[in-house]
Amino acid sequence: MAYRSFRKFLDALEQAGELKRIAVPVDSDLLIAEWANREMKSPGGGLALLFEQPIVRGKKSEFPVAINTMGSRRRMTLALQVADIEDVAREIQLILKAKPPTDLSGGWSLLKQGVHLLHARPKHVNEGPCQEVVHLFAERPTANGFTLRDLPILKCWPKDGGRFITLANVHTRDPETGARNVGIYRMQIYDEHTTGMHWQVHKVGARHGKRYYERGERMPVAVTLGGDPVYTFAATAPLPDGLDELLFAGFVRKRSIELVPCKTIDLDIPADTDFVFEGYVQPGEMRPEGPFGDHTGFYTAIEDYPVFHLTAITHRRDAIYPTTIVGIPPMEDYYIGDACVRIFLPVFKMNFPEIVDMTLPPEGVFHNLVFVSIRKQYPYQAFKVMHGLWGMGQMMFSKYIVTVDEDCDVHNTSEVIFRLCANTDPARDTTVIKNPSDSLDHAPSEQNVGSHMGFDATRKLPGENYRQRQWPELLKMTEEAQALVDALQAQTR
Ligand SMILES: Cc1cc2nc3c(=O)[nH]c(=O)nc-3n(C[C@H](O)[C@H](O)[C@H](O)COP(=O)(O)O)c2cc1C
């Protein structure tokens, strides 16, 4: 199962009643963003939008713009072609728990997993639709040739420093190990042939960049847009450094990804994508990037970031330009992040078997707020879990973690806040630690580092300095009374 193109994914959305076509001309300067923001704020994330006549600098673009294509739980399942996101989580759990089979059914399930893993490996092909149209730039694009300015790239917010590519799948390679990485890093358009490359200091693209800078070598970078939406999902997923996003994408869609070589640089990219930007980052070259209306709901300030130089643009003949906007939550990216947490919950549970459930509520914009429920057995276990989470990959950025007991639904924010208020003595039940902070967080005194706070809102056990009296019991009606009232109410309906 796999979408052969981004267009096929949009067809599937349309058939499912999840896509709205906008036939009137709409300007890519703020107006598509304003329209999409209203849609993203509607209940459940609204619909995906396909702007058929985007306007760029007063002219109709040849490429339609698709936005909010993953901005609901339903569309996330359609993007990953699963009935339920938990299906992917269950497969990961199976692999994590795989043991030699003891009976036929166990053997069968292992065989199936093996086949999926086999299918996950990317394979190489010589040509693909992403190179149906090729524009090569020897040194600079020609004045009247095709350039970035021909694309319907959005200006998202009024005080943005320019137009930004927001769903760029950035492909890089570690020059030492050869390991591939794909991450989503925004790209500010500087001119026809140069953009910013906003890989933040903690991200794998930045680490690869550092290796090239140390060697004084030009870094090849390829950027893809579109194709099977699983690529974009895999690029945002906080996979450990060294785990190939395209292998992971192949595993999720149960079909390996076909890769074609780029035309001007030594990198391979998925053959079915809509647009490919080939180019390089020059060691040490930095340029002011921003401001940009960001995930945080605020503008991020101007800062120096590497510069990406284009050597070629290739695209499908019928390419569609995929994009998103970020801003005050909830936005499309909330649903992408939510799917990541649900898919990787088994990994967290493998490290911390006491974890029952976890969520990053939209108000926290990914890293600012984490709710986790645990099956608590011993004193200070909540602190152990919080310290552990702060040590795991991008969970290091979590500004506030609230730990509750297993009987609290972490997806019900009001229930979590009730437990937080009722079950804590602030001095006893909080901890403040130092850790790296999200580069986008404007609140810390210093950029990229800051304090993080954990709240233990679980019931207290002996040994947790709760000496007053017995920990009280949460109010609960008897099941008998509930059943009787159910029956009485049914009679009065
Ligand atoms: C819409 C969107 C835009 C993003 N923009 C950036 C960005 O500009 N810079 C960045 O470092 N991370 C950005 N991210 C987050 C990264 O894609 C994410 O942390 C990913 O796991 C990074 O991959 P890496 O660990 O392989 O570097 C963005 C995520 C989304 C969903």
Side-chain angles (χ1 to χ4, degrees):
M1 277 203 305
Y3 290 112
R4 300 304 274 170
S5 67
F6 186 61
R7 191 173 280 274
K8 288 259 182 284
F9 168 51
L10 297 187
D11 290 347
L13 292 183
E14 192 160 32
Q15 271 166 24
E18 286 285 327
L19 179 114
K20 189 163 155 187
R21 288 175 182 270
I22 315 290
V24 290
V26 184
D27 206 314
S28 56
D29 186 343
L30 300 183
L31 301 197
I32 290 184
E34 168 61 13
W35 193 314
N37 188 27
R38 291 181 191 190
E39 194 66 32
M40 290 176 194
K41 296 285 188 296
S42 48
L47 295 176
L49 302 175
L50 183 65
F51 290 90
E52 295 178 323
Q53 296 199 58
I55 303 296
V56 195
R57 295 179 190 84
K59 282 204 312 217
K60 182 179 156 315
S61 167
E62 125 184 42
F63 305 104
V65 171
I67 193 163
N68 204 24
T69 56
M70 292 197 259
S72 76
R73 282 199 155 189
R74 174 102 199 277
R75 290 199 291 287
M76 269 318 306
T77 60
L78 288 163
L80 304 188
Q81 292 190 282
V82 288
D84 189 340
I85 290 293
E86 316 302 336
D87 292 350
V88 186
R90 272 188 285 275
E91 289 208 34
I92 289 183
Q93 197 164 21
L94 270 179
I95 289 169
L96 293 174
K97 287 192 171 163
K99 292 189 186 118
T102 50
D103 59 21
L104 194 62
S105 71
W108 178 238
S109 89
L110 266 185
L111 182 69
K112 276 205 297 199
Q113 292 160 27
V115 168
H116 293 170
L117 280 179
L118 204 67
H119 280 168
R121 250 170 223 292
K123 59 180 181 209
H124 292 84
V125 294
N126 292 331
E127 52 185 32
C130 70
Q131 294 173 337
E132 279 170 352
V133 182
V134 177
H135 304 279
L136 299 176
F137 312 135
E139 267 309 313
R140 313 187 123 223
T142 51
N144 53 2
F146 184 89
T147 75
L148 286 173
R149 290 199 189 272
D150 294 298
L151 297 177
I153 298 167
L154 304 192
K155 179 165 180 196
C156 304
W157 295 102
K159 294 192 176 160
D160 281 359
R163 293 173 185 263
F164 285 80
I165 302 174
T166 53
L167 275 185
N169 291 211
V170 179
H171 303 243
T172 57
R173 195 178 48 218
D174 184 326
E176 281 163 15
T177 65
R180 178 187 12 243
N181 189 71
V182 193
I184 293 217
Y185 316 121
R186 71 174 185 238
M187 294 163 63
Q188 177 173 357
I189 307 302
Y190 292 137
D191 55 41
E192 292 87 345
H193 49 90
T194 43
T195 78
M197 184 50 77
H198 189 259
W199 48 51
Q200 294 151 13
V201 61
H202 310 106
K203 304 300 168 73
V204 180
R207 190 184 67 69
H208 285 183
K210 198 154 184 288
R211 294 286 97 84
Y212 280 95
Y213 307 156
E214 285 162 1
R215 294 163 159 242
E217 287 172 21
R218 197 181 246 203
M219 176 186 192
V221 178
V223 178
T224 60
L225 292 170
D228 190 326
V230 73
Y231 307 149
T232 298
F233 173 71
T236 64
L239 300 179
D241 192 351
L243 205 162
D244 182 359
E245 278 80 6
L246 296 184
L247 180 72
F248 177 69
F251 160 74
V252 172
R253 74 175 199 176
K254 301 186 184 67
R255 187 181 165 146
S256 66
I257 281 111
E258 293 186 348
L259 298 175
V260 283
C262 284
K263 297 281 177 196
T264 57
I265 50 170
D266 180 22
L267 286 176
D268 300 322
I269 31 99
D272 61 350
T273 48
D274 287 57
F275 291 97
V276 185
F277 307 139
E278 301 181 10
Y280 62 90
V281 165
Q282 192 67 37
E285 185 188 4
M286 304 286 267
R287 185 167 165 174
E289 198 266 8
F292 179 66
D294 227 313
H295 303 272
T296 55
F298 294 84
Y299 286 101
T300 42
I302 298 176
E303 279 178 273
D304 281 353
Y305 269 90
V307 181
F308 173 70
H309 297 267
L310 269 172
T311 50
I313 297 179
T314 72
H315 64 86
R316 281 177 176 268
R317 230 168 257 121
D318 62 348
I320 295 174
Y321 178 77
T323 190
T324 192
I325 54 159
V326 293
I328 297 172
M331 285 294 206
E332 177 174 10
D333 57 351
Y334 163 68
Y335 294 95
I336 304 174
D338 174 62
C340 280
V341 176
R342 288 192 290 147
I343 285 176
F344 292 112
L345 194 56
V347 180
F348 290 111
K349 285 186 175 180
M350 195 183 73
N351 285 282
F352 309 104
E354 59 271 73
I355 289 185
V356 174
D357 206 352
M358 193 166 88
T359 191
L360 278 58
E363 295 80 358
V365 196
F366 293 128
H367 309 303
N368 287 348
L369 189 57
V370 177
F371 295 159
V372 57
S373 60
I374 62 167
R375 193 166 297 132
K376 183 169 156 183
Q377 285 175 32
Y378 50 83
Y380 281 18
Q381 198 168 358
F383 292 105
K384 185 219 53 163
V385 169
M386 293 190 283
H387 287 296
L389 290 177
W390 278 316
M392 281 185 79
Q394 293 184 37
M395 291 299 288
M396 68 178 153
F397 302 132
S398 308
K399 187 141 72 163
Y400 298 103
I401 305 183
V402 182
T403 309
V404 290
D405 288 307
E406 60 183 302
D407 60 345
C408 175
D409 177 7
V410 292
H411 304 283
N412 182 338
T413 298
S414 112
E415 205 180 322
V416 175
I417 291 175
F418 162 66
R419 300 286 180 119
L420 172 68
C421 299
N423 281 357
T424 52
D425 174 320
R428 185 195 58 205
D429 296 325
T430 55
T431 187
V432 177
I433 61 128
K434 291 176 181 167
N435 232 23
S437 285
D438 181 15
S439 302
L440 302 181
D441 189 348
H442 56 263
S445 309
E446 272 184 66
Q447 206 195 1
N448 294 328
V449 295
S451 62
H452 302 249
M453 196 165 195
F455 298 86
D456 173 5
T458 60
R459 64 177 65 88
K460 300 298 164 300
L461 297 177
E464 290 187 315
N465 205 13
Y466 177 73
R467 301 223 180 87
Q468 279 271 54
R469 45 199 125 123
Q470 281 269 306
W471 190 260
E473 208 180 319
L474 188 69
L475 304 184
K476 194 167 180 237
M477 188 44 72
T478 63
E479 283 179 13
E480 189 190 8
Q482 287 179 28
L484 286 171
V485 172
D486 283 348
L488 285 171
Q489 286 186 336
Q491 283 173 26
T492 58
R493 246 176 237 135

